[in-house]
Amino acid sequence: MARSPRIAVDTDIYMPANYGDDWQSETTSIGSSIYHGLMENGRRYQTLSNKEYLLPSDEQAFESYEAAHLLALVLESERENPLFRAPIGKNAKHILDIGTGKGDWAIDVADMLPSATIRGVDLFPPPVTWVPPNCILEIDDILEEWTWKEPLDLIHMRVMIGSFDSAGWDHVYKSAFENLRPGGWIEQLESSPCIECDDGSLPANSILREWGPNMNACGARAGRPLETIDTMRGAMEKAGFVDLHEQVYRWPIGPWARDKKYKEAGVVNFQHWLSGMEGWCMWLLTHFGSPSPWSKDEVTVYLAKVRSEIKNPRYHLYQRARRVWARKPFPGEITPETTQIKEEEA
């Protein structure tokens, strides 16, 4: 299959000449079909990739992405840099944000690192009219061959759950490894679809307890595993990354926490769920629901029950989240993989 053209989002900004041809190559104007997308069950989905994508790309989805961005910032608010943990220093030149969504992360990093070029890539054009001059938002299929020539200092991913099948994830991590400079970093932040409660406030028969297992089962039938939170570290190691670090979180759902920071995070995550739930489950349930695909009306009734319970202030709900960051080794660096090869040769 021929490679899809890389498409630059026209935000009517000045592109400095020193970006070079590489940063503007293979670009074309965006066709109306890409902007219009594919409408299904009242939601809009991308049309760039030849594979169906389980998450919609419409105003409600972008609202959910924005809430997720704010949630991540709140939970890292005590750090000088709340946007990422990879120690890339202040001299980074090229950063890639995969699955940029609305572009919030890429835009914020561009503001923070004005001497770096930040590229945000997704399958659907983000609804922005202005970005910093060092931020480039593009529409591209990351599962195809990467053709950027400049080695990257950091590759960032966030809330990419269900984006790819297992082979697709292997391709993404392998491509990331190949396109980072030696010593460059990859960082990924993911959450679990499962709603959890540790203090017994959530009844055993609550529909919220079946939400996560239901989504995981649909994802398995779709060939899009949703356990990225638990598999990404191993996948990075498999691709050759070293010096792995991780930060584990509990994202509250609702303002029940006593701590001020977590109470604020819970309020934001509550909105994240309310705006995101339909998009997270509509495609999965109408294509891979059990015992047979659900109708849109069945999903609507199901969501009404879930929303009703998630709004109960007596339930102390949260979801697990994890951030993993890892480094591409330097040439000649001793890694577990090279040690094993030497042992096998001996």
Side-chain angles (χ1 to χ4, degrees), residues 101-117:
K102 196 174 179 181
D104 295 295
W105 187 90
I107 291 170
D108 283 357
V109 174
D111 283 335
M112 184 178 70
L113 300 174
S115 62
T117 299

Side-chain angles (χ1 to χ4, degrees), residues 97 110 121 161-162 174 176 204 211 228 312:
D97 183 29
V121 178
I161 179 173
K174 179 176 182 291
W211 166 271
T228 312
N312 192 320

Side-chain angles (χ1 to χ4, degrees), residues 60 63 269-278 280 307 310-311:
Q60 189 172 337
E63 180 183 339
N269 200 22
F270 177 73
Q271 294 301 322
H272 178 223
W273 274 79
L274 288 187
S275 58
M277 279 191 299
E278 183 183 272
W280 301 340
R307 287 193 188 95
I310 210 169
K311 291 178 180 179

